[in-house]
Every structure is written in structure tokens, then in C-alpha cells.
Amino acid sequence: MRAALWRENIQQAFETLAANRLRAALTLLGILIGVAAVIAMVAIGRGVQNYIQDQFAALGTNLIFVIPRAAAEGRSAGAALQDISSLTMRDVRAIEQEVRGRVTVVVPVIQRFGPLESEGREAVTVILGTTPGYAPARNWPPQHGTFLEEAHLLNRSRVIVLGLTPARRLFPDVPNPVGRTVRINGVPFRVIGVMSDKGGSAFGDYNDLAFIPITVAQEMLYDARDPRTGEPLVTGIMLQAARSEYTDEIVRRITELLRERHRIRFRDEDDFAILTQFELVSIFGQISGVLTVFLGALGAISLIVGGIGIMNIMLVSVTERTREIGLRKAVGARRRDILLQFLTEAILITMLGGVLGTGAGIALASTINVLSGGAVRAAVGLDTVLLAVGVSAAVGLFFGLYPAWRAARLDPIVALRAE
């Protein structure tokens, strides 16, 4: 009996919508736009989250960074290395001993901007003085030639490995510049390798780097030393944990070791900062999560506007069908029957709008993927679709309730007298 009543209400709702096609289409359009906006906005937010995760994955896995506190606080721009850093090569060796068995590699880094010159061309890039462990820690193999080797460090060899960006600037017509000569501050370096394409990101162009042995960097380019001990300074230290669960233990050990080595008192702040890849991903994940909620809320506003449109149309429908309501009540229809009829019409139009809006939202997300070249990867999940359709039905129920209640409360005698 109840199923038959629902079928009758749905059939009457379709007949009513068919009798007012233009008005129904415009009302449905408002819900369609709202649902499409919600799905597309949430998909963009999730795409941004995926993009950020991909960028951090490109850095490598289980990475830990030890940097000067000034650099972590953004106070290092234009400052001399000896003024911002107290990290030394002896610290690097001490860390290697302290976390032995917990890390796969410990990589010291000296970083400076500098010009590279070759055959009349110049490329200003980031020059890194580092060790052979850098490339495997970053999951970054060379495309041509080889990366730095231990012999290069021991012999202080004047060799350089180019990223794709400086390689293309210096040798635009040379497919493989291995063996060519590049000058840094007039000093010749032999190109022994060109790195594979690491891609670009919101954090910059990963390919815009060049690598030289750290011993050469300390001796010829960046002879920065700790003013207290005279030890060679480094810009930072990168470690790769052997397993992700070792990360917290490694951070604790390094913190205790460096505080002791740098003679930092109990209440004094560290003169270094330790960042883990997990923390960085978590921070940016929280930011992108808030962005997703914000974008979803913007889309929801469109849905609410569509719901208000439904309420207006349903109130107009009640006014136009006053005599019909009076006749139905006169032949025995109860208030509940009238209420269900109008609620069914409201929910039906919002559900139709929700289904069509879902298709439009998915199409819009796919268009965004194409326009971004696949970088953003706007992701439409099943949960988003179910939520959008469910919310559209809830909007129909909420905004259709008052007009339906008003129709159900009409006095049949007054309704029959209406013109």
C-alpha cells in the first residue's frame, strides 16, 4: 500500500514537472550547477593534495634534513654561511657514528648560487657541493654519464654533474655534454654526468642544479669555516632513514648529539632545526585539506542558492494549485498525503539535478586535468559523488518542507473558493 502511494506520488511529480518544463528546467539548473561546483571544487582540492604528495615523493623517501635555525626561519637570505650555520663536517661524521644502522646514508651539502660558463654561454644555477650518496637518497639517477664518486672527493677532482636545466642552457645543441668543460669563477670543471629529468614543482625547478665534490667546494668556492673552531661549515645535512619507523629515534639522537657538541645549555634554543619528510607532508597536507574544505564550501553556497530557488518555485506552485489541493482534500486526501506529494516533487527535482550535476562535475574535473597537463589530477571519489547527490536530496527535503507544509495546512473550503 505504501509502495503504491510512493509510486503514485512520483508519477504525479513527473506529470507536474512535465507540465511546467521551462520552470522545472531552470530550477533543476540551479541544483545542477551547485552539485557540479561541489564535486569539481572538492576534486580540485584533492588533486592539489595528490600533487603535493607527488612533489614530496620526488624528493626521495624517509628523508631527514638538518639545517641551520636561521635557514629554517627564513633569515639566511644574503647572509654569509659562517654567520648562519654552526653545522660542520665533524658534525656530519659524528652523526654518521651516532645513527649507524638506522640510516642508509648521511649527505652533507654546501649550497650556493653561482654562474656556470661554457663556450660563451652562461647559466646561473644552484651549485651543490655534496657526496656520492646524494643521488641515491633522492632516487635520482643520471641520464648520461655518472654521478660523483668517492675518488672524486678524495682526489679533489674538478668534475661537475649538471641538471637538465643548466645542461640545456649551456649546451642547447649537444644531446650528451659529458666530457665538455664548464667554468665556475674561471675554474674549469669537466662534465661527467647529466641528471635525468626530475621535473618541476611549486617548490621550484628540481632540474636547475649542478653538483661538484664537496671537498672541491670547500677548498675552491665556499671556504666557510666555523669562527670558533675553524672547522669547514656545511649548509645542511640530509639523511635517509633505513625504515620510516626509525625517524623519531634518529631525530632524538641527532638533537641530543648536536646540543652536546654545540654546547647548548638546557634552556637555550637549538642553533639548528631538524625537518622530516613526514612533517613536511603533514604540514602541507593540513593546508591542502583546509583548501579542500574551503573549495567545497564555495560549491555548497551554489547548492544553497539552488535550494532557495526550489523553495520559491514550490511556493509559487502551491499558490497556483490551491484549487487542486482543495479538491483533493474534499475527496478525502489527508494532510500527510498533500505533504508527501509536494515533498516528492521537491526531492525529485533536486535528485535529477544531483545526477546531472554529478556528470557535469566529473566532466569539469576531467577538463581541469587536461588543461593542467595531468599535473593537478583532480580526483573525483565515490564518496564525493554520494555526498553531493545525498546533499542535493537533503536540500530538496529542507527547502521543500515549508511549501509542502503550507500546502498541507490549507483549509479545503478556502482553497475551493480560490480563483
Side-chain angles (χ1 to χ4, degrees):
M1 183 71 178
R2 185 170 297 178
L5 178 62
W6 276 108
R7 282 197 299 271
E8 182 181 350
N9 283 336
I10 293 173
Q11 182 179 356
Q12 289 179 351
F14 273 115
E15 291 173 355
T16 301
L17 295 178
N20 300 276
R21 292 185 180 87
L22 179 60
R23 187 167 67 189
L26 293 175
T27 307
L28 185 146
L29 183 62
I31 296 298
L32 185 154
I33 293 173
V35 172
V38 170
I39 290 178
M41 292 296 186
V42 172
I44 291 171
R46 288 186 173 178
V48 171
Q49 285 182 311
N50 293 334
Y51 177 71
I52 291 173
Q53 290 174 354
D54 290 345
Q55 296 308 312
F56 279 106
L59 289 174
T61 56
N62 301 333
L63 297 183
I64 302 169
F65 305 92
V66 185
I67 59 176
R69 174 165 292 279
E73 295 175 350
R75 295 186 286 109
S76 61
L81 186 57
Q82 55 266 31
D83 295 331
I84 63 170
S85 178
S86 60
L87 299 173
T88 67
M89 288 300 295
R90 287 189 182 179
D91 288 333
V92 175
R93 290 189 287 271
I95 289 173
E96 286 177 329
Q97 292 295 324
E98 181 66 24
V99 295
R100 187 182 298 276
R102 290 291 186 266
V103 299
T104 57
V105 68
V106 178
V107 181
V109 173
I110 294 178
Q111 174 178 315
R112 287 292 177 87
F113 283 97
L116 305 179
E117 299 176 354
S118 181
E119 301 175 1
R121 294 187 176 89
E122 181 177 283
V124 178
T125 188
V126 178
I127 304 173
L128 291 183
T130 189
T131 62
Y134 186 93
R138 291 283 307 275
N139 297 326
W140 194 2
Q143 177 176 301
H144 301 295
T146 63
F147 195 67
L148 302 175
E149 299 175 355
E150 287 294 338
H152 298 140
L153 272 65
L154 295 174
N155 298 329
R156 291 177 168 78
S157 303
R158 296 179 185 178
V159 295
I160 188 169
V161 179
L162 300 176
L164 275 182
T165 299
R168 288 169 177 169
R169 290 174 184 166
L170 294 173
F171 307 103
D173 302 320
V174 181
N176 182 4
V178 171
R180 297 296 183 99
T181 299
V182 171
R183 294 182 179 273
I184 305 175
N185 296 340
V187 179
F189 284 75
R190 180 170 55 89
V191 178
I192 62 169
V194 177
M195 302 303 289
S196 56
D197 187 2
K198 194 66 168 174
S201 73
F203 310 118
D205 181 5
Y206 289 147
N207 293 314
D208 199 4
L209 295 170
F211 306 92
I212 63 175
I214 193 168
T215 50
V216 177
Q218 291 167 335
E219 183 180 74
M220 301 179 58
L221 303 176
Y222 319 124
D223 188 16
R225 296 180 178 273
D226 190 325
R228 297 168 300 177
T229 64
E231 297 176 20
L233 291 170
V234 296
T235 307
I237 306 169
M238 181 175 66
L239 305 90
Q240 185 177 44
R243 299 172 64 177
S244 58
E245 53 265 34
Y246 292 158
T247 301
D248 291 341
E249 178 189 352
I250 293 170
V251 171
R252 177 182 57 79
R253 286 192 182 187
I254 293 175
T255 301
E256 293 174 353
L257 174 68
L258 291 181
R259 285 185 64 88
E260 179 182 351
R261 287 184 55 81
H262 295 180
R263 296 191 176 102
I264 299 174
R265 299 181 202 177
F266 175 72
R267 295 183 181 277
D268 291 345
E269 288 188 350
D270 298 335
D271 59 1
F272 59 90
I274 302 178
L275 304 175
T276 66
Q277 200 169 13
F278 176 79
E279 289 174 339
L280 295 174
V281 172
S282 177
I283 291 170
F284 281 95
Q286 290 174 6
I287 294 173
S288 60
V290 172
L291 175 64
T292 301
V293 173
F294 175 72
L295 292 175
L298 288 179
I301 292 173
S302 301
L303 201 54
I304 293 173
V305 172
I308 294 173
I310 285 179
M311 179 181 285
N312 289 332
I313 293 301
M314 293 302 296
L315 287 173
V316 171
S317 180
V318 170
T319 301
E320 291 178 345
R321 296 160 62 187
T322 300
R323 285 183 61 82
E324 175 193 330
I325 295 169
L327 286 172
R328 291 197 62 189
K329 284 193 170 185
V331 297
R334 295 168 296 179
R335 286 182 176 179
R336 184 177 64 183
D337 298 329
I338 303 298
L339 181 73
L340 287 177
Q341 178 187 348
F342 279 86
L343 273 181
T344 301
E345 291 178 14
I347 294 174
L348 180 63
I349 196 168
T350 53
M351 288 291 288
L352 287 173
V355 172
L356 295 176
T358 298
I362 293 173
L364 183 57
S366 300
T367 302
I368 292 170
N369 288 339
V370 173
L371 294 177
S372 68
V376 174
R377 290 193 296 116
V380 179
L382 179 61
D383 57 338
T384 305
V385 173
L386 294 177
L387 177 64
V389 175
V391 168
S392 67
V395 165
L397 179 62
F398 179 79
F399 287 99
L401 187 60
Y402 174 71
W405 175 83
R406 185 171 175 177
R409 296 283 296 177
L410 283 175
D411 187 306
I413 297 175
V414 175
L416 287 170
R417 290 176 178 173
E419 295 295 334

